[in-house]
Amino acid sequence: MILLNPGPVTLSQRVRAALAQPDLCHREPEFGDLQQRLRTGLLGVYALDPACWSSVLLTGSGTAAVEAMLSSLVPPDVRLITLENGVYGERLTRIARAHRIDVTPVHVAWEQMPDLTALDDVLAGLEGPVAVAAVHHETTTGRLNDMAAVGAVCRQHGVNLLVDAVSSFGGEAIGFEDWPVAAVAATGNKCLHGVPGAAFVIARRQVLDLTPSPGRSLYLDLAGHARAQDAGGTAFTPGIPAFYALEEALAELAEQGGWPARHRRYRALAEQLRAALAAQGVMPYIPTDDASVVLRSYHLPPGLDYATLHDELKAAGFVIYAGQGGLAEILFRVSTMGAIEDGDMQRLIAAFERILADRTGSGQQSQEGT
Ligand SMILES: *Cc1c(COP(=O)(O)O)cnc(C)c1O
């Protein structure tokens, strides 16, 4: 089965094999070495200086990393502004509220780009310390939010950015130094091609050094984890098989040419599918220029509901992804993350062509273009 959902991804054989490495106790030096190689490797993906940045490993899904970042790095006297244009932006607000953080959402509809004028107005009208949290790649629609523009507004107000890069880390450019980034949260099982269970936050050491431990959460206490990991240990029992997989996945990424090569690969696959679908009258939900290379969303064509499309593609060996909330009725999503071969894409396109032709041929009313 080829997974075209936005994580977990189709594994390469070498990453799958890495899961079966020896049993390991996390209080032994071998684990400390593995952890240190991972922390160094994660900084290496974006060539970050270990003197300035710290990568903190967590056992959990991507949301654990986002929650650790927000609950730890927004102190009690700081107001958080969240940018919402999809499920994951709205999740930032829900996480903040769960931790009793004073939060002001700047909301737009899911198909729109973040409202930077509103962000500017909100920042201008607030007194006291503020942080901004935003999603880089909003997986709800596949929109790649313009973080350079968001960052420019933040910079004008002297405000730091907390970034959910869960579905972009390893596949898209991240301006660690250009946007005023305080921290980025991500996971091993999306663009890095590992398995679920290993997540991480990359934070400025300056920011971590000023962060109290524990803060609002014990398990997700980022500063506590950072201190334990800097000392070569770990606070709790880590998901070691997921760590093994991540190490192999990072080695594979480096051998393949790093994130820029992965970005080009994703783009080639996404554009191949976009062109093939366009030839069948199936159009992208948001403009291609605004879309990530990681995931694209498409209008469901008239006469074809999501369940039928999903089931027929699954029978052909592919798992696609539904829209969320109100978008469930109108779009479908296809991610090109994971170990996807050229032949897989050719078979996927052939399956789409057959399903779309059957729909027209079986007397269903095809109304493309209306
Ligand atoms: C996948 C994803 C998450 C985290 O989801 P988990 O199910 O917790 O791994 C967070 N933010 C974005 C933008 C995502 O795509």
Side-chain angles (χ1 to χ4, degrees), residues 200-225:
F200 57 94
V201 175
I202 293 183
R204 282 191 190 275
R205 286 197 172 270
Q206 265 179 333
V207 171
L208 278 175
D209 288 346
L210 296 173
T211 300
S213 165
R216 294 182 176 87
S217 168
L218 186 73
Y219 189 72
L220 298 175
D221 168 21
L222 201 64
H225 283 289

Side-chain angles (χ1 to χ4, degrees), residues 346-363:
Q346 283 155 17
R347 286 190 299 112
L348 175 69
I349 288 171
F352 263 115
E353 286 170 350
R354 180 177 51 69
I355 294 162
L356 291 165
D358 283 357
R359 169 188 58 111
T360 321
S362 68

